[in-house]
Each structure stands twice: as C-alpha cells, then as structure tokens.
C-alpha cells in the first residue's frame, strides 16, 4: 500500500501535467523513495488506480527503467560502480573487485544482512573524475581501492 | 576565449539567483520580451547556433518550424538526460549555474509560444534535479516565472521531470514517450515533434548546453556570437575530456581548437608518460580517431570529414596501453544493454556483437569472427528505428578500421597484443 507521504507527493505532481498518465514516473519514484525502497505489486496497483490506468501499464513503465526496484529489494546502500569506457580506462574493474572483496559478494548480489547491494552500471556522467561509483544518491569520484574501503567503512 | 557558459562556475553560491543576476543574468530574457517572436528566431538563425545534443542542427531553424497559431498549445522540452558515455558537461551547468539554463528555457519558450517547459533530467542526477527545483522556486518567488513574467503577457511554468535509468530517453521522441508515462521507445517520424510532439502538440526539444547559449545571444547580439570560432560552428563549446589525460574535465573553447591542442595544451598531455593511441571525439557513439587525425579541429564538419562525429563532444582519450578489442567490447556492451527492444536489428544484433567481442577478448575468438562482425554491422546499420543501432555499428567500425590488426592478433594468438 502507498503511505500518506507517497500519496501527498503524487497529489503534488498533478498540477504539473495535463495528462495523469505522465505522473507514472514521479509516482513510482515517490513510492520507492517514501516507502521501503522496493516497489511491490500492491504499489503498482495503487498507482494504477490513482492514475486511472491499468496495472499492466504501470508495470510496463516501471520495468523499462533500471532505477526502479520492481519486486526485488536492494540493500540499504546500493553501490553502483560505473563500468563504461572512460571509467574502464582508469581501471573501474579494480574498483568492482575491491567492493566484491570487501563485502564478500559478487556483482548483482546483496549482503546477507541486507545492508549492501552491488551493481555495475553504465556511464553516470562523471567521467572526468573516473573511476566513480554512486551509493544511493551520492557520487564518489576519483576512486582508488583504499578509498573504496574507507567509504564502505564510513557507512553506518 | 572569454568564458561564457562557465563564467560563474567555481564562484561561491554560483547557483543562487542573486549571484546570477549580479553577473548580468536575466538581461537576455528582458531584451527578448520586448521583441517579436519572429525577430528572436531570426536572431537565433543569425547567431549560427547549432544544437549541442549531438546532431548539430540549427537552433533557429528548429524553432522556426513551430506553427505560429496562438491558439495551439506548444511545449519546450529541455533534454538533460546526458547519458552518452563520456559526456558530463550539462551536469556542470545544471549544478553550478541552473539559472543560466532557466533563462535559456524562458527565452526559447517565449520565442516558440510555449507556456510549459519540461526539463527531462536523468534520474541519477538527483543533486542536479534538486538544484534546478530550488532555482525554479527562487525564480518564481521573484516573479521571473509563473504568470506574466517580468510584467509581460507571457506565462511560463518550468517542471523538472526525473528519468529513471535508460539511455534511450535522450533520443528526443523516446524522451517524449517517457514524459507521457510510457516505455521510452522512439516514435516513428514524420510527424516531427515540431508539429506533433508532446501530447501531440508542437514541441521543441533542445539540449541543456544549447539553451545555455541562448541568453548571451539575446544579451550581446547574434553577430557577437557568430564571430566566435569557425564560421559554420560558432559560439562557445563545452568539451568533456576523460580517459588517459593528465587533467580531465570540462573545457569551454571555440570549435577551432584541434584535438592535439585540447589534449596536449589544455589537458596537460597524456598521463603516466605513455604515448597517445586514439581518441573518441564525441561520446561512445562516435568512431575513434587515430594519432594521424590529431590536428583536426573540433568543429562539426572537420570531425565528420575524418569519418567520425562531434556528437556530444565527450572526448575520450586512450593511450598505448589500451586494448581496442576490450574497448570495443565495453562500448558495445553498453549499446546492447541500452537497446530499447523496439526493433529487431538493434535488439538482437547488439547482444550478438557483444558475445562475439567477448569471446575474442577472452582468447576464444574463431576464424571468421571479424567477417561475422562486419556482416552484423551491415545488417544493423541504416535498418534500425532510431540512431542507437547505428551508433553501435559506427563505434565498432571505427575500432575495426583503425585497429583491425589487434582483432586479428587476438583471434590468431588467443591473447592480447597490447596487454598480453
Ligand atoms: C540514442 C540517442 C541518445 C541521445 N541522447 C541525448 C542526450 O542524452 N542528451 C541530448 O541532449 N541529446 C541526446 N540525443 C539527441 C536528441 O535526440 C536531440 O537531437 C537533441 O536533444 C536535440 O537538441 P539540440 O538540437 O539542442 O542538440 C540522443 C540521440 C539518440 C539517437
Ligand atoms: S564512464 Fe563512468 S561516469 Fe562516465
């Protein structure tokens, strides 16, 4: 179910678009951010109901975009290491390996305590400060293996 | 060159309205509001400004395609999706000088008669999205946005719309689909967005940097703008340089700068005393260029004449330690991942290419693999719904053309000629 905070965020978006369907992305963001971080089947259904479209249309949109966590939970800290070419030239692979080693998980996995997930992602628009990663909303740039460990340790 | 787009970057509070106004900001829009819409569009044509999103299309011409009927709703969409690998210039404007972009949006909206503008920003730029929202709030609070802006009869709402991770949203018709709440798959053209765009209404889609050029044209005149740099590619240009250079970053220069000057003068040359090997001049979609092309100026025509494209001006520099098979694989993996699935050549062709490149890279290449890659390129190029598939092919062909022997070595010796 969508909580009150999510519903309020969705209501706030209504004035921005002439067609309710356009609220889909904003509503999905609101549900994900104001909720548990994962979009459940019920979330998608309630969004559909609010926007007067069918649940499958919401699902079709939600599953197209990589940043929505549809049905599958991610860790409290979602570590996304860029592996596109500019970062790769400056050894992004070493950064991925370091995260894997420090957390004892592989790319695509979540730690047993649900604290960290690791994913490799495409260019995040920070190539001048490569290699880099994003953890939740934060960018971490000019990374080295040591810096990665320091950052991971600093996360509560 | 005197900084125009980056003039406020690095100053304290450069993102605040007060700072922007002090630096001469919001003069362009006030000039614009005193002019007829057609006059502004003519000024844009005279300035010679060409789109900074990748295609280099004349901005004035694009605006002139919008129907003049005052009873028709029209929209402006600012493309802040910035997802072309190697591109990180729009982010600098968004985060450090959001009012420069907003003023550009105001002038463009007024010129085409739009009362609503959407900024489509990639979801990962959450910090930038908040910066824009704060700047819009500031502008509204000062009466610069909303109803009757600057006392004119023009109204304008600017709305920030967050993407959620999909490269294809940068393609302008996919962007419109995404704004409408659908899966971001490109639309068939015609009709072009200028006639039937967002919600079927006339729509202009412009890149962030393009719009950021607009206020200075209204403030200082089209002749001033047209006199900067080469005649056919005038105005200030942001180059995002990444890879094996000493000083990567965003540089504002005129487009007569050569690749050699950009890399060796502005960026301090190659790191770790290694030799230059190749450069991708316009984001991952642009074919790489070898050392022999280093004296090419970075304008649209000169780069195209060398078989590549200026694209987003994301300049990715590679030194002698770079394996081109691996480079080709990493770039193709991206296109394969980002293919939207709408058309078969791109959806099925790009992963196939990735698979072949991966096995060559892993020392399991087979005789005939290069020919297979070439035939896949032929099967994809020009046969896709949008330019994504073409981009994948162009990038791969660049590597095969200039460094074909590395692919052959990998296949014959089951190992890399460069890194061993
Ligand atoms: C696959 C693909 C991705 C694109 N990505 C972007 C992008 O991230 N940002 C952008 O401004 N233009 C992008 N473009 C170009 C846009 O379609 C469009 O030409 C541009 O936004 C027009 O603005 P301009 O005339 O100001 O350059 C992309 C095009 C394609 C085919
Ligand atoms: S390639 Fe990693 S941020 Fe651009």
């Amino acid at each position: 179910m969508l909580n009150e905070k999510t519903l309020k965020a969705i209501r706030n978006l209504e004035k921005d678009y002439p067609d309710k369907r356009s609220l889909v992305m904003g509503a999905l963001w609101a549900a994900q951010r104001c909720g548990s971080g994962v979009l459940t089947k019920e979330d998608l259904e309630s969004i559909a109901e609010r926007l007067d479209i069918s649940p499958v249309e919401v699902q079709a949109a939600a599953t197209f975009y990589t940043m929505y966590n549809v049905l599958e939970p991610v860790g409290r800290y979602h570590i996304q290491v860029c592996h596109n070419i500019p970062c790769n030239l400056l050894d992004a692979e070493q950064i991925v390996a370091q995260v894997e080693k420090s957390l004892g998980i592989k790319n695509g996995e979540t730690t047993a305590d649900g604290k960290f997930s690791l994913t490799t992602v495409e260019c995040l628009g920070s190539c001048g400060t490569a290699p880099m990663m994003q953890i939740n909303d934060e960018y971490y740039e000019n990374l080295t293996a040591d810096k990665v460990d320091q950052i991971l340790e600093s996360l509560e | 060159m005197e900084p125009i787009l980056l003039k406020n970057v690095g100053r304290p509070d450069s993102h605040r309205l007060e700072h922007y106004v002090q630096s001469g900001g919001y003069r362009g829009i006030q000039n614009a509001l005193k002019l007829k819409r057609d006059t502004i569009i003519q000024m844009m044509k005279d300035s010679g400004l060409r789109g900074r999103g990748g295609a280099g299309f004349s901005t004035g011409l694009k605006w002139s395609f919008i129907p003049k009927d005052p009873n028709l709703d029209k929209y402006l969409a600012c493309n802040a999706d910035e997802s072309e690998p190697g591109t990180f210039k729009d982010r600098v404007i968004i985060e450090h000088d959001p009012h420069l972009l907003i003023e550009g949006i105001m002038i463009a909206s007024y010129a085409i008669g739009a009362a609503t503008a959407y900024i489509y920003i990639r979801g990962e730029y959450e910090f930038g999205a908040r910066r824009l929202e704060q700047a819009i709030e500031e502008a509204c609070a000062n009466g610069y946005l909303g109803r009757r802006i600057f006392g004119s009869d023009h109204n304008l709402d600017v709305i920030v719309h967050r993407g959620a991770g999909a490269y294809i949203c940068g393609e302008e018709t996919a962007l419109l689909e995404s704004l409408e709440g659908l899966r971001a798959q490109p639309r068939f053209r015609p009709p072009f967005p200028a006639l039937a765009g967002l919600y079927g209404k006339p729509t202009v889609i412009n890149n962030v940097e393009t719009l950021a050029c607009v206020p200075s044209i209204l403030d200082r005149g089209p002749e001033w703008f047209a006199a900067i740099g080469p005649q056919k590619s005038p105005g200030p240009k942001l180059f995002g340089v990444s890879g094996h250079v000493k000083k990567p970053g965003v540089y504002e220069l005129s487009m007569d700068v050569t690749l050699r000057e950009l890399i060796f003068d502005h960026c301090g040359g190659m790191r770790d005393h290694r030799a230059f090997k190749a450069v991708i001049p316009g984001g991952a979609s642009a074919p790489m260029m070898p050392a022999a092309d280093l004296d090419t100026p970075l304008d649209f025509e000169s780069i195209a004449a060398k078989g590549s494209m200026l694209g987003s001006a994301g300049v990715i520099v590679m030194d002698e330690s770079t394996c081109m098979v691996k480079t080709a694989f990493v770039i193709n993996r991206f296109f394969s991942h980002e293919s939207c699935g709408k058309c078969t050549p791109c959806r099925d062709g790009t992963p196939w290419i990735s698979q072949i490149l991966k096995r060559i890279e892993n020392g399991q290449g087979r005789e005939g693999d290069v020919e297979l890659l070439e035939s896949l390129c032929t099967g994809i190029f020009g046969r896709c719904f949008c330019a994504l598939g073409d981009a994948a092919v162009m990038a791969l062909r660049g590597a095969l053309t200039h460094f074909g022997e590395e692919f052959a070595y990998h296949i014959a010796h089951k190992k890399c000629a460069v890194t061993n």
Side-chain angles (χ1 to χ4, degrees), chain A residues 82 84-87 123-127 132, chain B residues 86:
Chain A
C82 170
N84 210 304
I85 192 66
C87 281
C123 178
L124 292 173
S126 195
C127 333
M132 64 81 63

Side-chain angles (χ1 to χ4, degrees), chain B residues 234-246:
Chain B
K237 180 79 197 86
L238 300 180
F239 296 96
V241 189
S242 62
H244 297 138
V245 290
K246 283 206 183 106

Side-chain angles (χ1 to χ4, degrees), chain B residues 26-90:
Chain B
Y26 289 118
R27 282 201 305 243
I29 177 66
Q30 296 184 65
N31 291 344
L33 289 168
K34 291 177 205 135
L35 299 171
K36 285 218 180 74
R37 300 193 147 130
D38 283 345
T39 312
I40 299 171
I41 293 174
Q42 189 58 45
M43 285 171 78
M44 296 304 298
K45 287 183 184 165
D46 294 343
S47 75
L49 173 61
R50 297 171 67 173
R52 307 308 200 213
F57 192 78
S58 158
T59 307
L61 204 54
K62 185 181 271 195
W63 295 4
S64 74
F65 295 151
I66 295 291
K68 306 277 181 260
D69 181 354
N71 298 316
L72 262 182
D73 284 341
K74 301 165 192 90
Y75 291 104
L76 180 79
C78 167
N79 193 339
D81 193 54
E82 190 156 72
S83 305
E84 176 69 29
T87 315
F88 48 102
K89 61 182 179 72
D90 296 340

Side-chain angles (χ1 to χ4, degrees), chain B residues 51-57 59 62 79-84 90 167-172 205-208 210 386-388:
Chain B
R52 307 308 200 213
F57 192 78
T59 307
K62 185 181 271 195
N79 193 339
D81 193 54
E82 190 156 72
S83 305
E84 176 69 29
D90 296 340
Y167 167 65
I168 194 64
C169 293
E171 195 282 334
E172 58 186 25
I205 299 119
N206 272 138
N207 169 259
V208 169
T210 311
C386 84
L388 192 149

Side-chain angles (χ1 to χ4, degrees), chain B residues 37-38 99-100 115 120 133 149 165 182 205 210 304 325 346 358 376 418:
Chain B
R37 300 193 147 130
D38 283 345
H99 286 284
L100 178 65
Y120 191 103
E133 284 169 343
I149 64 174
L182 301 160
I205 299 119
T210 311
V325 177
C346 177
K358 190 169 187 181
L376 281 168
V418 182

Side-chain angles (χ1 to χ4, degrees), chain A residues 132-143:
Chain A
M132 64 81 63
M133 64 182 174
Q134 180 170 22
I135 304 180
N136 299 348
D137 285 338
E138 213 70 49
Y139 276 27
Y140 297 88
E141 300 162 292
N142 294 311
L143 294 175

